Structure formats: C-alpha cells, structure tokens
Amino acid sequence: MFEIRTLAILIPALPLAAALVTAVLGKRVLRGASHWPSVAAIGLAWLASMALLIQVHRRASETAQQKGLAGYEQIIPVGWTWAAVDRAYLQSDLQPGAQQAGFRFRSFRIAIELRADPLTAVMLATVTFVSFLVAVYSVGYMHSDPGYWRFFTYINLFVFSMTMLVSVSNFLLLYVFWEAVGLCSYLLIGFWFRKPEAAAAGKKAFLVNRVGDFGFALGVFLLWITYGTLNFHDGADGTLGILGLGRLAGGPGLFVSGATGTAICLLLMLGACGKSAQLPLHVWLPDAMEGPTPVSALIHAATMVTAGVYMVARCSPLFVAGAGALEVVAVIGGLTALMAAIIAITQTDLKRILAYSTISQLGYMFLGLGAGTRVGITAGMFHLFTHAFFKALLFLGAGSVMHAMGGVIDIRRFGGLRRRLPVTHWTFLFGCLALAGLIPFAGFFSKDEILAAVHARAETHLLYEILYLAGIFTALLTAFYTFRAYFVTFHGAERIPEEAGEHAHESPRWMTVPLVILAIGSLVLGALFWWTEGFAHFLAKTPSLGYVTRYGWAATEGGSHLAVAVTSTLVAVAGIGLAWFLYPNRRQLVEQLARAADRVALYRLSAGKFFFDPLYLALVVRPLEGLARFSYAFDRYVIDTLVDGIGRMPVRLGASLRWSQGGMIKVYALGMVLGLLVLLGAMLW
C-alpha cells in the first residue's frame, strides 16, 4: 500500500505526464492511439485517489478517537519553494483582547505543499472517476476528429489542473490552478476553433471568468494583508495558517470579522460566481455547449463548475466569521437555481437544457453552503458528488443522441428514439429521475438534505423561509423541464433528421459502457451514503467543517426532514406528470399554450434567457467597443499627428537652410566674412 504522501503526489503527476507524452508523440507517433496514455493515466489516478480516500478515512477515524473531532489533515511538502521574500510586509501583531499593538516583519514564502483531508479525498475521487469515464467515452465520440491527439492532451491538462486545485494548501497556489482550469476550459470549449460559434464561446468563457477571477485575486491580496500568510495550514515556525488547526481551535476570536471579513468573503464569492456560473456571471456556461460533448460533461460534472463550490466549502470558517456573507451565498444560490430552471423550460437545444440545469443545481449547492450549518455544507458537497454522476450521465447521453442524429441536438427535430437507442434511453431515464429528485435515485437524497438544512434555518430567519419556498418551486420546474426533454426525445412517433440518414443507431461500447456505469451510480450511491451516513461522517472530519459544527449555526434535526422529503417528492411527481401530459403527443396544445404564454412577461424572460446577454452587450460590450474606437481614433489622429509633426520639424528646418548649400565657394567665403563681421560687431557692442 502506498503512503499518503506518495499517493497525493501521484494523482496529479499521472495526468500531467500523460499530457506531455500525448503532446510530444500524439501527432506523429500515437495518432489514433492517442487516447491510451490519457485513459491509462486518469484510470490510475482514480485508483490512487481511492487508495488515498481509504487511507485518509482510516487516519481520520484514528485521529477522532485519540483527539476528538477536531479534524484531520496531513500536509505533504513536495520539496520545492516557489517564492521566498524575507521581510516582505510589516504587520501589526495585535491579538484579540490586547491593549497595545506591536509590529513585526512578515516573510512571504510559497512552498509547493499538498494536503490530504476528507474534503480533498472526496473531491479527488469524484473528479478522477468521472474524468476517467469521460475519457473512455471520448474514444468513441472523437475517434474520427483530426485533432484527436490535441483533445486528449487538453483533457489531461484539465484533470491535472483540477486535481492540483483541490490538493494544494495555499491560497496563491489555489489561484494559480484556478486560472489553469480556466485556461483548459478555454482550450476545450474552443476546441473546434475553425467553427466561429465555438471560438466565440471559448473567448466568452475566458473573459467572463476573468471578471470573477479579478475579484478572487483581490480577495487573496486582502487575505495576505489581513492574516500575514496565505497558507491553509499552520507553519513550522508557529505561524497560524488561515484555515489551520491552531486558528480553528482558537475559535471565532482568531478570525477577522466586520467589514474586512465580509469583504474577503464577497471577493472570494465573486470568483466562485464566475467559475461555478452563478448570477450574474453565469452567461458563459450555456455557450460552452459549442465544445465537444465530452467537454461539456467534464466541465459540468467534474471539474470547472465544482471548483467554486469546493472553495466556498473549504473557506466556510471565513464565511461564518464574515457578517452577512452566508446570507449572500444563500441568496445568490437560491436566485440562480430558480432563474436557470425558469430558462430551461423553454429551451429547445438538449445540451443547453442540461447546461441551465447545471447552473440551477449549482445554485442548490450554494444554497446548502449558505445555510451555514454542518448539515447544509455537507449536503451541498453531497449534492456536488451525486450531481457529478447524473449530470455526466445526462450530457454523455445527449452526446449519444447527437452522435446518432448526425450532429443534430434540437429536440424539435427528432423523437421516439427509445427503440433505436435502447441503452441511451434507459440510462438517460435514470439520469432524469436522479435530476428530478425521485427516491431511490441519488438526486433525491442530496437535494432533500439541502432543502432540509434551509428549512431548519427558516424556522428562525425569514430570508431562509423565502429561499426554501424558492427551492421547492425550483424542484417542480426541474422535474418538468427534465422530463419535457426526455419525453420529446425518446417517446412519441419516431422522427429522424435528414442529417442522420438511415444510419441512426446505438452508440459503440466505448460510449455505452460509461453510460451504464454512471446510471448505476446515479441509482445506488445516494441511498448508500445517506442511509449509512458515511459521506456526512467522513466529510465532518475535515478541519474547516469541524469548526462550522462548533461555531456555525446550530443545525436543526428531526421531524421537519420528513415533511421536506414528502413535499419535494410531491412537487417532483407533479412536474413529471405535467410534462407527461403535455409531451410529446399534444404538440398542438403545447404550441397554443406557447403562443398564449408569449404575451406573459415571465415566458418572454424565460425564452429570452432573462436578457442577460443583450443587457451585457448594451451596458458593457458596446461602451467598451465605443471607448476602444475612440481611443483608436485619438491615438491615430491626435497622438500620431503630434508625434509625426515633431518628427518632421528637423526635416523642415533642414530643408529651409538647403538654399544656402549651393556648392559655390564664393558664396561660402562671403558667408564666412559676413559671419565674422557680425561677431566683431557683437563684441564691440
């Protein structure tokens, strides 16, 4: 059995090595076999992640027995100091309760150090497993693409960046790999860069994320100024890490609150809004569907969008200390969940329906985190875990449909596919049931836990009562739009678009086997971890969550949970029933309802995606374009004219004296005499 240190280093090292091998050998040597380094490396990384998970679970249990539930962490130095600046910053060492402050110099030192704790272990296992299945699926989906080797190079870089993001124990390194994940998403979304829509989608994702990442960077600067360190863990010199065991054990007095604490949390949350597609920075994610379908599954289920949820969960002690920060997280999550669900009910692109579903489900996760309780944060992470399975399943199922339909993904152009695509049909149905939140599928247990946590806070806080009702209504909409897509795609009369010709058939096993595995996970994992409480108990041994258990809002357990479960189930069944009644055999009724609803503002908002893109175009893009045009004109016609004019002055001055240089010696002699007379006259005067 490998040690934790070896496993923690091996997990990101394997995808990085595969990326280098594929980049160097893929185009000329590996070619059609370029998938083998990727599949093997990510598969081995998943096995290493599972071994790490088992060892961390064992160590955390031993620590809990010996020292109580303070939390378990292990810091793994890699042996490389990235940056070291002595006496970098003069900081006050005033401690809470002290009357007089002293000052001392702080050193700035960033070492490459990884951490192993329950939160990291869960994230690594989730990311690598789903990424492995996506890589296997990609072998069948991308087999004829001319950029085959390039695709698997990017996939490995993406997995490497994400595994490092959840493994590092420092805010600066977190930011570095936060940006690396953004870069990989840009490369993958715009993978088909010759397609204008894909190139535009990649640029949009990159630019929108820079807005959130600018806020995240400011939050990192403010953390350094406030705490004098960027490490999560305590230093060997006695320096308290921002999320170290020493500071967590010291309680709220060692965390900065007030305006500074709130500002830190809001800036970090701005970064999470960009990376995890929350209001108002969600607009990039639906356009990301222009990339290959495996990319959509990877981004939505395992990597980029989960980074923000992970970061907020990791920093939960900061959000508990920041006045009003948790409420902001909960409001953003609740509003995003509801808004995205409203938009999804009118979309006709199957992948975009799932994209808005991802935005909505991420909103649920932030709603759970914003409850500020151990139950809420655990539920948010549990939903991240279950969502990774059923959302990857749904995206890969949509890719299987698209593969069979000759690239067509508009649900208005095909239907009745359950007989032609039996494996895709049944696995997609499992994903829909999990997304709708019906028992015993995984989505029921994780979504139910979130709603129960919010309902517990609602007993003492009106805001959470409103958010709870919004969450219940979102559950109704989720079931409706999910089964709207399912019934239209797989039921009713068979309709095949002409692009598919006569060749519409089930996908190859490279694609269907991952679908079956994800479908099984979507069915059993939620019930398994909920009934055994294994996920919650294990995750609670993360130091940050142990702090929330002690100092966060008290979690209300008990009778309300059953009422919440019954309510959420009833509204999900109602949504499915409404979709079954309207689709797919009552198209005329649906069209009549759509024409009638077109006169209602809410329908227009849904169909127009709440007009965020036109709004940003009018308020941000056009003014910046105007400023750019003005700057260009000012530079060309004012600055350039002025600089060119100054440059031409010596030329013109020289030209004005050219007449005196005729080449006649007599004229030169006369000039010398006249000059001498002028000098003599000046001297005499």
Side-chain angles (χ1 to χ4, degrees):
M1 180 71 72
F2 289 108
E3 296 181 352
I4 288 180
R5 170 188 169 83
T6 304
L7 293 170
I9 296 174
L10 199 61
I11 292 166
L14 285 167
L16 177 61
L20 295 175
V21 169
T22 309
V24 173
L25 303 179
K27 187 175 182 179
R28 293 179 174 81
V29 179
L30 296 174
R31 298 179 182 175
S34 295
H35 58 274
W36 285 115
S38 178
V39 172
I42 300 176
L44 290 173
W46 171 62
L47 293 176
S49 298
M50 294 305 297
L52 178 69
L53 184 68
I54 293 169
Q55 292 219 37
V56 169
H57 185 275
R58 179 170 56 83
R59 296 284 182 89
S61 299
E62 293 173 356
T63 302
Q65 292 175 357
Q66 296 170 4
K67 303 178 182 179
L69 293 176
Y72 168 80
E73 66 175 16
Q74 180 174 334
I75 308 304
I76 300 104
V78 177
W80 178 25
T81 298
W82 185 40
V85 180
D86 293 331
R87 297 168 63 86
Y89 179 64
L90 184 64
Q91 186 186 39
S92 168
D93 60 0
L94 178 64
Q95 297 296 322
Q99 299 296 322
Q100 191 172 8
F103 293 89
R104 59 173 175 164
F105 279 99
R106 296 274 191 181
S107 297
F108 180 76
R109 184 175 182 275
I110 302 297
I112 309 297
E113 293 172 318
L114 308 179
R115 70 183 294 111
D117 64 13
L119 180 58
T120 297
V122 167
M123 289 297 298
L124 286 173
T126 305
V127 166
T128 52
F129 181 67
V130 175
S131 299
F132 171 67
L133 293 180
V134 170
V136 172
Y137 178 95
S138 301
V139 176
Y141 191 88
M142 302 292 294
H143 67 92
S144 60
D145 194 282
Y148 194 68
W149 65 273
R150 184 164 52 90
F151 177 83
F152 283 100
T153 300
Y154 294 164
I155 288 289
N156 278 278
L157 283 176
F158 207 170
V159 176
F160 161 71
S161 300
M162 189 62 192
T163 53
M164 285 297 292
L165 187 152
V166 300
S167 297
V168 294
S169 189
N170 182 285
F171 273 101
L172 185 59
L173 292 177
L174 175 65
Y175 179 76
V176 168
F177 290 103
W178 189 274
E179 293 298 322
V181 167
L183 172 63
C184 293
S185 69
Y186 164 74
L187 295 173
L188 285 167
I189 294 169
F191 178 78
W192 290 320
F193 55 86
R194 291 183 176 85
K195 181 182 176 184
E197 295 83 1
K203 289 186 287 186
K204 184 176 182 179
F206 189 83
L207 293 174
V208 172
N209 271 274
R210 297 291 72 72
V211 176
D213 294 354
F214 178 70
F216 188 81
L218 292 179
V220 172
F221 284 130
L222 192 54
L223 281 168
W224 160 248
I225 293 172
T226 303
Y227 289 97
T229 182
L230 290 176
N231 287 334
F232 296 163
H233 58 277
D234 299 331
D237 59 354
T239 302
L240 293 179
I242 298 176
L243 301 172
L245 293 176
R247 191 181 301 277
L248 295 174
L254 296 182
F255 284 95
V256 174
S257 57
T260 301
T262 303
I264 289 172
C265 295
L266 295 183
L267 289 169
L268 295 179
M269 185 60 192
L270 181 58
C273 286
K275 199 67 69 183
S276 292
Q278 297 293 285
L279 278 170
L281 301 179
H282 65 284
V283 293
W284 67 270
L285 194 59
D287 288 6
M289 299 304 96
E290 296 295 340
T293 298
V295 172
S296 303
L298 193 62
I299 288 176
H300 285 251
T303 51
M304 188 168 178
V305 294
T306 60
V309 180
Y310 160 78
M311 186 270 292
V312 174
R314 172 70 72 193
C315 300
S316 52
L318 298 176
F319 283 84
V320 170
L326 287 172
E327 286 78 4
V328 171
V329 173
V331 169
I332 290 175
L335 288 178
T336 304
L338 180 58
M339 176 215 64
I342 292 173
I343 294 175
I345 62 178
T346 59
Q347 301 304 301
T348 57
D349 183 304
L350 183 57
K351 288 174 64 177
R352 275 182 167 77
I353 294 172
L354 298 177
Y356 281 107
S357 169
T358 296
I359 297 172
S360 182
Q361 296 304 303
L362 287 165
Y364 265 122
M365 297 174 204
F366 281 105
L367 182 58
L369 298 178
T373 64
R374 179 186 62 83
V375 174
I377 296 173
T378 302
M381 294 304 300
F382 189 28
H383 198 52
L384 181 153
F385 173 73
T386 60
H387 177 266
F389 283 84
F390 61 75
K391 187 49 61 69
L393 170 60
L394 288 170
F395 266 109
L396 297 183
S400 182
V401 171
M402 191 175 180
H403 182 267
M405 297 296 103
V408 175
I409 200 62
D410 189 334
I411 61 175
R412 296 169 298 185
R413 299 190 57 197
F414 49 73
L417 302 180
R418 65 186 184 279
R419 294 184 182 86
R420 292 222 182 200
L421 309 175
V423 177
T424 302
H425 163 246
W426 284 108
T427 55
F428 197 89
L429 176 59
F430 274 40
C432 290
L433 291 167
L435 177 56
L438 287 188
I439 194 169
F441 291 87
F444 166 79
F445 297 97
S446 54
K447 183 188 69 176
D448 178 58
E449 286 287 307
I450 291 173
L451 292 174
V454 176
H455 188 266
R457 287 295 308 276
E459 295 178 0
T460 57
H461 202 307
L462 178 60
L463 173 64
Y464 287 91
E465 177 69 27
I466 297 171
L467 292 173
Y468 170 72
L469 295 176
I472 291 294
F473 184 58
T474 302
L476 172 68
L477 297 177
T478 301
F480 174 75
Y481 70 68
T482 301
F483 275 85
R484 166 181 173 261
Y486 166 75
F487 286 130
V488 171
T489 302
F490 293 103
H491 287 267
E494 185 177 272
R495 292 175 294 119
I496 306 294
E498 59 183 17
E499 289 85 347
E502 298 298 324
H503 306 290
H505 55 79
E506 185 59 272
S507 300
R509 289 190 177 182
W510 280 105
M511 298 170 66
T512 56
V513 170
L515 293 178
V516 173
I517 294 172
L518 289 169
I520 295 171
S522 300
L523 173 62
V524 303
L525 288 179
L528 174 65
F529 286 114
W530 186 80
W531 279 324
T532 62
E533 296 188 348
F535 189 93
H537 286 164
F538 178 56
L539 205 63
K541 295 169 186 174
T542 304
S544 296
L545 299 190
Y547 176 89
V548 173
T549 301
R550 183 178 300 179
Y551 299 108
W553 292 95
T556 302
E557 314 250 3
S560 64
H561 190 93
L562 179 60
V564 171
V566 172
T567 303
S568 65
T569 300
L570 289 177
V571 298
V573 170
I576 295 172
L578 181 60
W580 174 80
F581 176 75
L582 293 175
Y583 301 96
N585 295 320
R586 293 179 175 86
R587 290 186 173 273
Q588 291 183 348
L589 175 60
V590 171
E591 292 173 0
Q592 291 172 0
L593 291 173
R595 285 194 294 269
D598 190 44
R599 295 188 289 271
V600 180
L602 187 60
Y603 182 88
R604 292 184 179 182
L605 286 173
S606 174
K609 306 169 188 175
F610 281 77
F611 303 105
F612 274 98
D613 284 315
L615 189 64
Y616 286 154
L617 187 66
L619 298 181
V620 179
V621 178
R622 295 303 185 208
L624 289 177
E625 283 185 350
L627 179 61
R629 293 179 187 278
F630 171 78
S631 300
Y632 170 77
F634 186 81
D635 178 68
R636 181 171 183 178
Y637 298 111
V638 178
I639 302 297
D640 282 0
T641 300
L642 182 62
V643 171
D644 292 345
I646 294 173
R648 282 192 291 266
M649 286 179 61
V651 177
R652 292 177 177 175
L653 181 61
S656 66
L657 298 174
R658 191 177 300 151
W659 62 269
S660 63
Q661 303 299 317
M664 297 181 65
I665 297 178
K666 296 178 180 179
V667 175
Y668 295 159
L670 178 62
M672 294 171 63
V673 172
L674 291 176
L676 181 61
L677 292 176
V678 170
L679 290 173
L680 289 174
M683 292 175 62
L684 292 175
W685 180 78

